Amino acid sequence: MKRVSQLTALALAFGLACASSRAADTIQALNFQQLQQAHGTAIDTRPSAFYNGWPQTLNGPSGHEPAALNLSASWLDDMNDKQIADWVKQHQLNAGTPVALYGSEREVQAVEARLRRAGLTQLTTLSDALQEPTRLQRLPHFEQLVYPRWLHNLQQGRHVTAAPAGKWRVLEAGWGAPKLYLLSHIPGADYIDTNEVESEPLWNKVSDAQLKVMLEKHGIRHDTTVILYGRDVYAAARVAQIMLYAGVKDVRLLDGGWRSWSDAKLPVERGTPAKVQPEPDFGVTIPARPQLMLNIEQARALLHRQDASLVSIRSWPEFIGTTSGYSYIKPKGEIAGARWGHAGSDSTHMEDFHNPDGTMRSADDITAMWKTWNIRADQQVSFYCGTGWRASETFMYARAMGWPNISVYDGGWYEWSSDSNNPVVSGERGPESSL
């Protein structure tokens, strides 16, 4: 019998499987090499934490298969058929695309069923998924976005991957009085009001001296690991980014915020936080990382450059000047020369950066979104929004993605628009407007 090439055998496998088992409408399982030869796509059906790099077991494989997409089975209840179809279209999949799924049997079956309803037919499993650690990909700093079970295990004193090096603290961040916190919060979490890190008239960060007092009051030194979460992820991110600027070495976010903890049905407690033992000294001069927070002149210097991007993390209606986005900000428009980094439907949403469960969208998706507007990892990149919250969330994602030269322009649109001499632009426009 003649020998046939692997590619020919693969084609025969596809053809025979589709012809002989139409009732099951399935094809033979593929290994990673075969999937590549067939120009197919792998889909990771596990939660995004494991896709990003957290091992499912203490010494298990870390990351996802190269170029794999993430469509977690845990998202399916939050996605209607149109949203699944839009996801398929966005990732340029079609009925003839070979697609190999991996994850648990239950996860794979659930995702497969929804993809078939969306019109994909060449669905199978990846037979050697996660079996070759050296080829797996992960977020360069996945540990900066923790997930609920990891935090729970840490609290229980169990061994965890990427454990804090020393003392650690959990804080819930929110604006104003801790009304929801008092009803239910993560056990042992302290509460920090965002008014402790930013103030009127422009909602810029408070002085360095005030930051020092605040951090010491909350029992935080520069070498304390701080794990932040919020009812709104960007509230926690705002505090996190300012702490990093101040000099806290290890600041992490609970990916997906309070919702992710609640969805995981982990223990909660109510009432006021336990009394915190203040630290006598933060331990380093604040700011230890001044480069993470830009002023207006530093932000202006990034405009219209190929090696830098001043990035607007605002909704499209805000970016084109249909609305200011805020009741207390009257001027509409955008910084002339800024690049659009996406955000969400309005000034209180960040859907463009979130999976259906509120966790961070895949780094590949975010990178592709930014590339359209000439925003790249090899540039000096500074994010801004109206007053810093959305920009800080994006900063934390870019940090987890390993972008090396990032910052937040603290004043944002509020500060820029308060001076009529600053150049402003409105109306529909594309990436070329920032060149």
Side-chain angles (χ1 to χ4, degrees):
M1 181 178 176
K2 287 184 179 180
R3 292 183 62 191
V4 294
S5 70
Q6 280 188 305
L7 192 55
T8 303
L10 182 60
L12 288 170
F14 271 105
L16 288 173
C18 292
S20 63
S21 53
R22 292 186 185 278
D25 196 21
T26 188
I27 58 176
Q28 180 180 324
L30 303 175
N31 62 36
F32 183 72
Q33 182 180 16
Q34 290 170 330
L35 185 66
Q36 284 189 311
Q37 290 173 334
H39 304 291
T41 298
I43 295 182
D44 191 327
T45 66
R46 302 173 301 158
S48 59
F50 306 134
Y51 174 87
N52 286 340
W54 289 100
Q56 287 184 267
T57 58
L58 191 58
N59 296 308
S62 170
H64 60 267
E65 294 292 345
L69 305 176
N70 188 204
L71 180 58
S72 173
S74 64
W75 305 341
L76 297 179
D77 287 344
D78 294 316
M79 300 178 75
N80 59 36
D81 285 349
K82 182 182 183 305
Q83 289 169 316
I84 293 286
D86 289 344
W87 185 92
V88 167
K89 181 178 179 181
Q90 174 200 340
H91 293 97
Q92 301 179 335
L93 304 178
N94 55 59
T97 305
V99 174
L101 310 176
Y102 67 93
S104 72
E105 184 177 358
R106 179 190 59 79
E107 290 167 332
V108 166
Q109 288 176 350
V111 172
E112 179 182 2
R114 293 297 296 276
L115 291 177
R116 288 195 186 282
R117 278 163 54 182
L120 299 187
T121 59
Q122 301 297 303
L123 298 172
T124 187
T125 55
L126 191 63
S127 61
D128 60 345
L130 308 177
Q131 293 179 17
E132 183 51 64
T134 58
R135 76 174 179 227
L136 300 183
Q137 299 176 342
R138 60 192 64 82
L139 284 182
H141 299 293
F142 67 85
E143 75 284 349
Q144 294 167 8
L145 296 173
V146 307
Y147 67 101
R149 181 59 62 177
W150 178 91
L151 178 53
H152 178 66
N153 287 341
L154 177 68
Q155 291 178 318
Q156 297 300 305
R158 298 175 184 143
H159 291 293
V160 294
T161 301
K167 175 185 172 185
W168 53 271
R169 306 221 55 226
V170 180
L171 289 91
E172 176 174 329
W175 179 75
K179 296 177 182 178
L180 294 175
Y181 168 92
L182 293 174
L183 294 175
S184 187
H185 58 262
I186 293 176
D190 191 8
Y191 181 80
I192 182 167
D193 180 354
T194 56
N195 288 308
E196 296 180 64
V197 299
E198 60 178 12
S199 63
E200 295 183 282
L202 296 174
W203 295 112
N204 285 0
K205 71 166 185 67
V206 298
S207 71
D208 295 340
Q210 288 172 287
L211 285 181
K212 184 176 188 295
V213 171
M214 179 275 294
L215 290 162
E216 292 168 356
K217 181 189 79 171
H218 283 283
I220 297 169
R221 285 175 43 87
H222 71 286
D223 52 1
T224 304
T225 293
V226 179
I227 302 163
L228 283 152
Y229 75 95
R231 312 286 159 158
D232 297 308
V233 175
Y234 49 38
R238 175 65 162 162
V239 176
Q241 203 273 337
I242 290 174
M243 285 187 177
L244 287 166
Y245 157 87
V248 182
K249 291 181 181 178
D250 186 7
V251 182
R252 312 192 194 189
L253 282 183
L254 175 60
D255 198 11
W258 168 254
R259 175 186 170 184
S260 68
W261 186 272
S262 180
D263 287 350
K265 296 180 171 51
L266 290 168
V268 298
E269 65 181 17
R270 60 185 300 152
T272 56
K275 188 174 181 180
V276 176
Q277 179 66 39
E279 285 288 348
D281 186 54
F282 180 62
V284 297
T285 301
I286 296 176
R289 299 190 190 96
Q291 73 277 12
L292 299 188
M293 192 78 74
L294 301 193
N295 62 33
I296 192 169
E297 292 307 321
Q298 291 170 319
R300 194 192 312 276
L302 303 185
L303 295 169
H304 302 292
R305 285 170 49 183
Q306 290 299 313
D307 64 342
S309 284
L310 183 61
V311 182
S312 172
I313 305 298
R314 303 174 73 203
S315 66
W316 184 249
E318 290 172 274
F319 187 75
I320 64 174
T322 303
T323 176
S324 75
Y326 302 80
S327 61
Y328 52 87
I329 301 179
K330 300 307 178 185
K332 301 174 185 177
E334 193 55 275
I335 297 174
R339 295 177 176 138
W340 188 45
H342 288 254
S345 53
D346 57 37
S347 61
T348 64
H349 289 87
M350 288 282 283
E351 302 102 324
D352 294 349
F353 290 92
H354 291 165
N355 294 318
D357 62 353
T359 55
M360 174 189 157
R361 192 174 168 187
S362 78
D364 286 347
D365 280 358
I366 293 173
T367 299
M369 185 169 68
W370 283 343
K371 185 179 179 181
T372 302
W373 276 80
N374 303 309
I375 303 162
R376 306 188 313 273
D378 62 354
Q379 298 172 331
Q380 180 183 353
V381 177
S382 190
F383 305 102
Y384 73 93
C385 54
T387 60
W389 286 33
R390 290 175 288 175
S392 294
E393 182 175 344
T394 311
F395 170 94
M396 294 300 289
Y397 294 157
R399 181 172 177 259
M401 290 162 60
W403 285 41
N405 194 356
I406 55 174
S407 61
V408 166
Y409 163 37
D410 190 24
W413 174 244
Y414 201 3
E415 180 180 54
W416 189 273
S417 64
S418 66
D419 183 349
S420 59
N421 292 319
N422 287 326
V424 170
V425 64
S426 296
E428 297 277 347
R429 59 197 181 279
E432 68 286 347
S433 64
S434 67
L435 300 178

